[in-house]
Amino acid sequence: MTLATQRRGLFAGTAALEFALAAPILMFLGLAAVDLALTIDARLRLGEAARAGAHHAALAPWSEAGVTEAAARAVDLPVTVSAVRFSGCAGAQGVEPRAACANGEPPGDYARIIVTAQRQPMIRLPLAKPLIEGALTLRATTVTRTR
């Protein structure tokens, strides 16, 4: 028996062993990437729903039920929609509820639409339990000027 044949015998099966050790780690990383992608997709769809509600609030006469329905119809997730109309002033920090604007202009009518959904992660780890307890709450908010 030559030295090369003896060495091949020593390393026989190491590829299968390495695969058996690496496969669960690779599968976990793949599932975590898919879970993250699904969460990001759900968050983007919530933003789309909030913008649909804002679009309805900007174009139609104010109706909380109409804004809520427009936002809920825009996404195929079970969502909670909150629509609030308020008077405020636009500034560098966004729109703030105020009775009078600093520049002397009368405050405008605005609507704040908040769309919220719950998402269960696919992967549950005992070590991540303090970080992620139960479902993730995803939220999208938009503010628009109304008629």
Side-chain angles (χ1 to χ4, degrees):
M1 187 181 280
T2 65
L3 185 60
T5 309
Q6 287 177 342
R7 280 203 174 149
R8 250 183 289 176
L10 287 175
F11 296 111
T14 56
L17 178 65
E18 289 172 357
F19 178 76
L21 292 174
I25 295 169
L26 292 174
M27 185 173 287
F28 171 77
L29 291 175
L31 285 175
V34 167
D35 199 20
L36 179 63
L38 290 173
T39 301
I40 291 170
D41 177 62
R43 174 60 181 84
L44 290 172
R45 288 191 285 157
L46 289 181
E48 184 179 327
R51 286 187 296 279
H55 185 256
H56 184 276
L59 297 180
W62 174 254
S63 164
E64 184 177 348
V67 172
T68 301
E69 182 183 340
R73 264 187 303 161
V75 67
D76 59 348
L77 297 170
V79 296
T80 304
V81 181
S82 169
V84 178
R85 189 174 183 192
F86 64 95
S87 293
C89 303
Q93 303 299 323
V95 179
E96 299 176 15
R98 293 204 177 145
C101 297
N103 61 2
E105 294 285 323
D109 290 327
Y110 293 89
R112 176 176 290 118
I113 295 89
I114 302 170
V115 182
T116 309
Q118 300 287 323
R119 184 172 184 311
Q120 282 295 70
M122 289 190 316
I123 300 173
R124 296 172 195 243
L125 294 175
L127 298 175
K129 193 171 184 180
L131 300 174
I132 303 172
E133 187 70 39
L136 298 172
T137 301
L138 304 174
R139 170 180 279 169
T141 304
T142 189
V143 176
T144 188
R145 190 156 188 156
T146 61
R147 298 171 78 188

